[in-house]
Structure formats: structure tokens, C-alpha cells
Amino acid sequence: MKDTPLSNCERDFLLKAIEEKKRLDGRQTYDYRKMKITFGTDYGCCFVDLGKTRVMAQVSGELVAPKENRPNEGIMFFNIELSPMASPAFEQGRQSELSVKLNRQLERCLRNSKCIDTESLCVVSGEKVWQIRVDVHMLNHDGNLMDAASIAAITALCHFKRPDVSIQGDEVTVYSAEEREPIPLSIYHMPISVSFSFFQQGTYLLVDPCEREERVMDGLLMIAMNKHREICSIQSSGGIMLLKEQVMRCSKIASVKVSEITELISKALENDKRARKAGGRCGFAESMPQERITALKTDETSVEMTDASERANDIVENAEVPPQTVPSPVVPAPGVGQVGQGLQNTWGLEEEEEDGDEEEEEQKMEEEQDEKEDSREGDVVEISDSEEEEVVILHPETQDKSSKNAASSSNQKGAETSKQRQKK
């Protein structure tokens, strides 16, 4: 599924606002969005909110065999997951170009800059080393994913503590957090990525672009730098050519932003450490907003109850008396019902015509029934059996009487003829 493309009106509106040095959320050209850093319950879990962009980073470690070319160094592995929960443009279980691009940039920013002492991760040379895995999950996409991912990853690495290990001969023992205090990673510096978006072939520049600004930009420049003003990585994307002065200007801006973000990260780590020692709220419970659906205590409001009965009586006395009878409505058009007291209930003119039609139909039905009864009296009823194919005819009583009279008259005639023959 792809994102809905911007209309021409939206695109023109955004570009016109950038020309006037205005942004949709009211920021200035070099301003970052509001940043919030929280930690999970376990060590190495970090949530970073950069405006509406939300990223979670989780660091884990396990003992593995080292690489053949570097037997005395640990292994750093980075993985970025773009879930459909963050944006409808992301697909589940499929690596897109954006995810591959972010993975490579994060590796250049953190692993290639040698910010972590990988030799301290070695347990047994050539046999056992620690593999540190950093999983970054995008929870909500509102632009500038690289900056949020780099901040979340380096903060989670600073917050992570690996289990303590002891070696006795060939046996390697890993102690839990209850047995021995976990050991933090040795980090030399904290590289942080800062993104710059260019518009109209590099004429206009914005820091920390949001999702809509990324759609209309012509190019993007990402500079990873630490607070010592050392550039760890730099990458440009898009079809624009940047001048040396533009790159130097962006690097100066990035140095200021990196120092501010580094100070924010250090304060967040100190606050979490202090809260865990004091036994206060920390982790996921601290990151939840303090909003309650129900409240146990409510503010009491004073209500005057003096002279309540007298006021009620006055209201009843001064109220208008309701009418005893309701006037019957007048039928405005055929088909509208009229129901009222003292008047005849009518249902319009169409009802009268329907009543007349019903009477005519009833008369016709009665006439048809009478005709059927008359016809039944003179009809001959035949009963047939399909198997024997015999027909029995039953005559009515009227026909029986007439047949008897005819038979008696024929017998009399036969008797008279027989008498005449005897006389002859």
C-alpha cells in the first residue's frame, strides 16, 4: 500500500510557505521538534519521541564465536523494522529501499565511527565474544526517521548493561543480575545524525523536516557528528548539487544541535539512574501519560438548599395551567389521519373511495358465491379411481325422483300393452 500523494494545491502551499520562511507547525528554519526520551523496564530499552515520530530501540547481547579476521573483537549488529503500524506505506515482512538505506546509515553512524570499544566485548580470544544487537522499531512515522533512530540507538547503547562473566579454565560462567551487577558498555563518544532538507535546488534549507516537507523536498543531507565536532559520517541524497559553503554551513548548525541533544541524553540517563536507585517510577510506567479515566476524589460544589420548598411552590403556582382538552387537528390533505375527542375519526377522502370499492367487491364476491352454490346443485359429481379406471356417477335427489316417476310411467304403459294383447 502506498501513501496518498500530495495534491498540487498542497505542494504549492508548502513551497510558498517555505519561501516565506514559515512552517506548518510554527517552527523556525533551524528548530527541532519537541524531543522526549524515556526508558523501558529493562536495561537497553529506549523510546524517543521527535514530534509525532516515535521510535523504540532495544539492545540485547549474547555469546557467539568471533569473526575469523577479528578474533579479539565483539560484533555489532543493527536492524531497523518498518512496521505497518508506523505508516500504511510500510509492508510487513518485506525490506524496502528505505529500510535498507536506514540500516546502512545507522551502521556508518555507529559501527564505522568506532563509538563503542568492541575489544572490551571479547571473553575468550577466538572462541567467545559478545554480540550486541540493536533493534530499532518505528512506531509512528512523521518524518526524519534517521535522526530519531540514531538518537534512540545510541541512548539505548548507553543505557544497556551486559551480564558479568567469569572464566575458570575452559568454562565460561554468565551471572544474572541478581548474582552480580551488570556491566555497562564502554562508549567513547555519541554520534548523532542531523538531517537537512533542501528545496528549489538548494535555495532554501530546513532542519528536521516533517513527513509532508520530505515529500516536496529536492534533496537531503545527513551529517553524523559528536559533541567534539568530529564528523562521523556524511551522506547526500537527491538530485541536487551542493556547494562547499552550504555543506560548511550545515556542519556548523549540526554541531550546535548535536551538543544540545547530547546534553538532553545525558540528563535523561542521570534521571533514570537516580529513579532506579530511589526505587521510584521508572521504565514503561514512567513513559505512560498521567491521565485517568475515573477519579476517586471530586471537588465538592456548594448548593444552596434553603427555602427550596417555598421556591418550588412558587414555581408551581406561577406556571401556566396545561389545557384540559387537545383540539382535534384538521385533515389538510387526503391520506392524513384525524383523531380527536368529540369528532368522528376520518382518514381522508381516499379512505371513503376505498370503502366504496370494498363494498362493491364484497357484493361481487357474494354474487359469485351464490352462482357457485346454484351450479353445484345441478352438477354431476364424478368419482374416478385411477388404478381400476372405473367411473361411478352419483345423481342428486331431484334426478332420482324424476327417474322413479319415469320408471313407474313406463311400467304402467307396459302393463296396459300386455293387457291389450291378452284381450286380442
Side-chain angles (χ1 to χ4, degrees):
M1 182 178 180
K2 295 183 179 180
D3 284 334
T4 305
L6 288 178
S7 62
N8 294 333
C9 295
E10 289 177 309
R11 185 180 296 274
D12 295 340
F13 176 80
L14 289 170
L15 294 175
K16 187 67 176 177
I18 292 169
E19 289 179 4
E20 298 177 1
K21 296 183 180 181
K22 296 179 182 178
R23 305 179 75 171
L24 296 178
D25 48 8
R27 290 182 291 156
Q28 297 298 324
T29 305
Y30 304 135
D31 290 348
Y32 253 84
R33 288 173 288 181
K34 184 179 179 181
M35 188 181 302
K36 181 182 178 182
I37 299 175
T38 54
F39 299 96
T41 306
D42 299 332
Y43 286 105
C45 182
C46 176
F47 296 88
V48 173
D49 295 336
L50 186 60
K52 293 184 179 180
T53 301
R54 186 173 175 83
V55 177
M56 185 195 75
Q58 177 67 56
V59 181
S60 58
E62 61 176 346
L63 290 174
V64 296
K67 295 181 179 179
E68 295 181 357
N69 54 351
R70 294 180 180 177
N72 298 327
E73 294 183 5
I75 301 173
M76 295 290 298
F77 180 76
F78 297 92
N79 180 37
I80 293 181
E81 292 290 339
L82 304 179
S83 65
M85 179 178 63
S87 174
F90 301 153
E91 297 182 5
Q92 184 69 28
R94 181 180 179 182
Q95 277 195 346
S96 60
E97 295 181 1
L98 180 60
S99 63
V100 175
K101 178 181 176 182
L102 292 176
N103 265 318
R104 291 177 179 174
Q105 291 174 356
L106 195 62
E107 288 177 356
R108 293 194 191 103
C109 178
L110 297 178
R111 186 173 62 186
N112 297 346
S113 63
K114 304 293 183 180
C115 65
I116 297 176
D117 184 12
T118 55
E119 293 183 358
S120 64
L121 301 176
C122 178
V123 178
V124 179
S125 178
E127 295 182 4
K128 295 289 182 181
V129 296
W130 283 103
Q131 180 184 8
I132 304 301
R133 179 187 177 97
V134 182
D135 293 304
V136 180
H137 299 271
M138 302 298 173
L139 304 181
N140 191 29
H141 174 38
D142 191 34
N144 201 6
L145 293 177
M146 184 57 205
D147 291 8
S150 65
I151 296 170
I154 192 62
T155 308
L157 287 170
C158 295
H159 189 254
F160 177 70
K161 293 183 179 181
R162 64 174 179 84
D164 194 6
V165 179
S166 65
I167 303 171
Q168 294 180 357
D170 296 335
E171 294 181 0
V172 178
T173 306
V174 180
Y175 297 96
S176 61
E178 291 79 10
E179 295 174 348
R180 287 189 183 182
E181 185 70 20
I183 301 173
L185 301 177
S186 57
I187 298 175
Y188 296 134
H189 57 90
M190 290 189 291
I192 295 171
S193 174
V194 180
S195 298
F196 301 89
S197 58
F198 294 92
F199 302 87
Q200 295 185 3
Q201 300 300 320
T203 306
Y204 300 99
L205 168 68
L206 291 181
V207 178
D208 183 24
C210 64
E211 191 263 342
R212 289 185 178 272
E213 291 171 348
E214 285 183 349
R215 292 191 182 188
V216 298
M217 68 181 181
D218 296 333
L220 186 68
L221 177 66
M222 286 178 286
I223 300 176
M225 186 182 294
N226 55 19
K227 66 178 181 180
H228 307 293
R229 296 186 178 183
E230 297 174 352
I231 295 178
C232 302
S233 67
I234 184 170
Q235 182 174 353
S236 175
S237 61
I240 60 171
M241 298 296 292
L242 297 177
L243 301 175
K244 181 179 69 174
E245 291 79 9
Q246 291 176 323
V247 177
M248 294 299 295
R249 182 184 178 188
C250 292
S251 63
K252 291 179 181 179
I253 298 171
S255 63
V256 178
K257 298 299 178 183
V258 166
S259 61
E260 295 176 358
I261 296 172
T262 305
E263 185 178 357
L264 178 63
I265 293 172
S266 59
K267 287 183 179 179
L269 292 170
E270 290 177 2
N271 294 335
D272 181 76
K273 184 178 180 181
R274 193 182 304 112
R276 290 179 185 272
K277 284 186 177 181
R281 296 176 73 253
C282 61
F284 183 74
E286 182 67 22
S287 64
M288 295 297 292
Q290 300 296 324
E291 296 178 359
R292 296 181 180 179
I293 300 175
T294 58
L296 300 178
K297 294 181 180 181
T298 57
D299 297 335
E300 296 181 358
T301 56
S302 60
V303 179
E304 295 182 2
M305 298 299 294
T306 58
D307 301 335
S309 59
E310 295 178 359
R311 292 182 181 180
N313 294 329
D314 294 339
I315 293 171
V316 173
E317 291 176 359
N318 297 329
E320 296 180 359
V321 180
Q324 298 296 330
T325 59
V326 180
S328 178
V330 180
V331 179
V336 180
Q338 176 180 346
V339 179
Q341 295 181 356
L343 296 176
Q344 185 179 3
N345 300 338
T346 58
W347 294 96
L349 300 176
E350 293 182 358
E351 186 67 22
E352 296 178 358
E353 296 177 359
E354 291 178 357
D355 293 341
D357 297 338
E358 290 179 357
E359 291 178 358
E360 292 178 0
E361 290 179 358
E362 290 179 357
Q363 291 179 1
K364 290 181 181 180
M365 292 291 290
E366 290 178 357
E367 292 176 0
E368 290 178 358
Q369 289 180 358
D370 295 338
E371 291 177 359
K372 288 181 180 179
E373 291 179 357
D374 296 339
S375 62
R376 285 177 182 175
E377 291 179 356
D379 292 341
V380 177
V381 181
E382 296 182 359
I383 300 175
S384 63
D385 191 356
S386 61
E387 293 181 358
E388 299 180 357
E389 295 182 356
E390 293 182 358
V391 180
V392 179
I393 301 174
L394 301 179
H395 299 279
E397 294 180 356
T398 56
Q399 292 181 0
D400 294 341
K401 291 180 181 179
S402 61
S403 61
K404 287 180 182 179
N405 294 330
S408 60
S409 61
S410 61
N411 293 332
Q412 289 178 1
K413 288 181 181 180
E416 289 178 357
T417 52
S418 61
K419 286 179 181 181
Q420 290 177 1
R421 288 177 182 177
Q422 288 178 1
K423 287 180 181 182
K424 291 178 180 181

